Amino acid sequence: MKRIRVTGKSTVAAAVPVQPGKTHEFTALDHAMSRHSVHLVFYYRQAPTLTLSKLKESLSDVLSYYPAMTGRLVKNEGDGCGEWIVKCNDAGVRMVDARVDVTLDEFLASASDDEERQLAYLEDVESDPYLWSPFCIQFTQFKDGSMAVGISCTHMHADPTSVGVFAKAWSDCHRRALITSPPFFHPWAFCPRKNPVPSSPHLSVKSTSPPPLPSPAMSSATFIFSASSVTQCLADMSLPDISPFDVLASLLWLRISSYKNGGLGPAQLNVALDCRRRMSAPLPSGFYGNALHFFGVKADLASGWGHVASELSRHMAGLEEEDVWSSVEWLHERRKEKAFQMYGPELTCLAWDNVPVYNTEIDVGVAPVHVTCHIGGAQGEGLVVVMAGPPGEGEHARTVVVTLPTDLTAKICQDDVILKYKPKIMFGTNI
């Protein structure tokens, strides 16, 4: 029996109308993400301010700062490429109301990954994109008055950090506080330099690779590593300058690869890294759009966990601003060509543990008890998302969401090496 019931659909517009004729353009990197979507779910326990009426009111308020979210896609015939732009016309975002007849704790303890994905609804594009909302907000109420807030959008509009910053701005508006990271709508900040040097060997190989074979059925599971678990991983590694991301990403890379044909050996991981703060003139935290840099990390997996973690750490630390600009300029040079798969088809890891997603308090002290991130269209070998863990689990705590072929997800959930560190496993009950 289906536990999640949609009870209504509507549209929410901004409280303040947008200036007539306003548009929002996409960067070449935005266009490159057109095959993917972003889905974030924030879980809140019952609170006096956690009501649909108050949430919808504050949503309308915060949308006044985000005209690109409430607009619709149109073709820009004047640029010679016919690329998509956003016509900021106050059409609003799609809103979905849903209910679950179990408590929040019961849901978190028993839900499958398919049920969790039902909490972040996003409609497929209609035949006329001008009628379609690229953003969707879903409110799912639980039996005990708790609520899940799902935010979904096209990846072309925004990357996970942009969505997380929007959620923080919404929570600020909900508390009637100042928005700590206001949106920064200046796509030119990520456009080619005056003397571009377009180069991206990694993306060039991805763009020319033959189409992957039909992907098997995919499923997800969530691992919550407490601070003590991560500390134990770091102690077992016993290497300097290794971060929680390095140790967990390398662990999952090794264990996932050990079950694939051929086992361990030379391999490459496709890494996606938010580079807002990596620039010599850092982009504001509220930069709206995509600021992910994709690059490859090569390692001989047969050389062991320490070698793999060290290689990952070396590549992360050695990333230079020139690498980012050259990649952006390479994408801009081929913007008329068909988009290819950025997440995959090889195993991909999204480094997203630098974003404080648990700071989205709807009231003082009322923060989410769990946050999950999914990326749509990550087919192929799979995706590993490393993000911040719940505050109650400690500073070094991390949440790791894996999306893999279903049979492989089942093996990873039962892997003795991973289970040695006693992660809490969620949303894997259907495997």
Side-chain angles (χ1 to χ4, degrees), residues 113-134:
D113 75 295
D114 181 65
E115 286 182 311
E116 193 196 32
R117 288 178 183 273
Q118 293 176 36
L119 303 183
Y121 172 87
L122 183 65
E123 294 176 337
D124 292 331
V125 61
E126 300 177 0
S127 56
D128 185 358
Y130 196 68
L131 302 176
W132 172 69
S133 175

Side-chain angles (χ1 to χ4, degrees), residues 207-250:
S207 68
T208 57
S209 299
L213 297 174
S215 182
M218 308 289 281
S219 62
S220 299
T222 298
F223 297 80
I224 298 179
F225 291 87
S226 66
S228 60
S229 296
V230 176
T231 300
Q232 184 60 55
C233 287
L234 293 169
D236 291 348
M237 187 67 59
S238 188
L239 290 172
D241 302 322
I242 297 295
S243 70
F245 169 80
D246 299 328
V247 74
L248 291 178
S250 58

Side-chain angles (χ1 to χ4, degrees), residues 11 45 120 169 195 296:
T11 301
R45 295 199 184 280
N195 299 304

Side-chain angles (χ1 to χ4, degrees), residues 65-357:
Y65 298 93
Y66 284 85
M69 286 183 60
T70 59
R72 292 296 183 265
L73 292 174
V74 296
K75 288 286 189 179
N76 183 10
E77 303 300 341
D79 66 353
C81 300
E83 293 181 336
W84 292 111
I85 61 171
V86 179
K87 183 176 182 180
C88 305
N89 57 2
D90 287 321
V93 300
R94 183 75 68 245
M95 190 181 73
V96 175
D97 293 330
R99 299 191 67 88
V100 184
D101 291 328
V102 296
T103 66
L104 173 59
D105 287 334
E106 290 170 338
F107 184 85
L108 293 177
S110 64
S112 67
D113 75 295
D114 181 65
E115 286 182 311
E116 193 196 32
R117 288 178 183 273
Q118 293 176 36
L119 303 183
Y121 172 87
L122 183 65
E123 294 176 337
D124 292 331
V125 61
E126 300 177 0
S127 56
D128 185 358
Y130 196 68
L131 302 176
W132 172 69
S133 175
F135 276 83
C136 180
I137 311 292
Q138 178 171 334
F139 301 105
T140 304
Q141 294 180 285
F142 295 95
K143 189 176 181 179
D144 59 350
S146 301
M147 189 177 297
V149 179
I151 308 175
S152 300
C153 68
T154 61
H155 211 315
M156 185 165 64
H157 263 267
D159 60 16
T161 298
S162 284
V163 179
V165 170
F166 164 75
K168 176 62 169 67
W170 182 4
S171 69
D172 291 339
C173 279
H174 195 76
R175 299 193 319 275
R176 295 294 186 258
L178 292 175
I179 296 179
T180 55
S181 295
F184 182 74
F185 290 100
H186 294 285
W188 51 261
F190 227 12
C191 287
R193 298 167 293 185
K194 290 183 178 180
N195 299 304
V197 185
S199 176
S200 180
H202 179 63
L203 294 182
S204 181
V205 171
K206 287 172 63 66
S207 68
T208 57
S209 299
L213 297 174
S215 182
M218 308 289 281
S219 62
S220 299
T222 298
F223 297 80
I224 298 179
F225 291 87
S226 66
S228 60
S229 296
V230 176
T231 300
Q232 184 60 55
C233 287
L234 293 169
D236 291 348
M237 187 67 59
S238 188
L239 290 172
D241 302 322
I242 297 295
S243 70
F245 169 80
D246 299 328
V247 74
L248 291 178
S250 58
L251 174 63
L252 269 296
W253 184 11
L254 272 170
R255 301 315 303 155
I256 291 169
S257 299
S258 70
Y259 292 104
K260 297 191 302 186
N261 292 335
L264 302 181
Q268 177 169 284
L269 182 69
N270 181 36
V271 179
L273 175 67
D274 187 328
C275 58
R276 283 171 173 78
R277 314 310 293 175
R278 292 273 184 150
M279 317 298 279
S280 57
L283 290 171
S285 298
F287 175 79
Y288 181 89
N290 285 277
L292 290 175
H293 178 62
F294 288 79
F295 60 98
V297 174
K298 295 181 179 179
D300 184 357
L301 305 187
S303 296
W305 190 11
H307 165 76
V308 176
S310 295
E311 285 300 296
L312 186 56
S313 176
R314 182 174 66 84
H315 280 78
M316 296 287 285
L319 180 66
E320 298 182 355
E321 183 176 2
E322 179 63 28
D323 300 325
V324 178
W325 282 117
S326 294
S327 177
V328 167
E329 289 159 359
W330 182 86
L331 287 169
H332 185 80
E333 188 179 62
R334 70 174 307 280
R335 67 190 184 280
K336 295 182 182 180
E337 301 179 27
K338 186 177 181 180
F340 54 91
Q341 188 174 350
M342 298 291 281
Y343 294 92
E346 69 270 52
L347 183 64
T348 301
C349 184
L350 171 60
W352 202 53
D353 56 340
N354 64 322
V355 179
V357 290

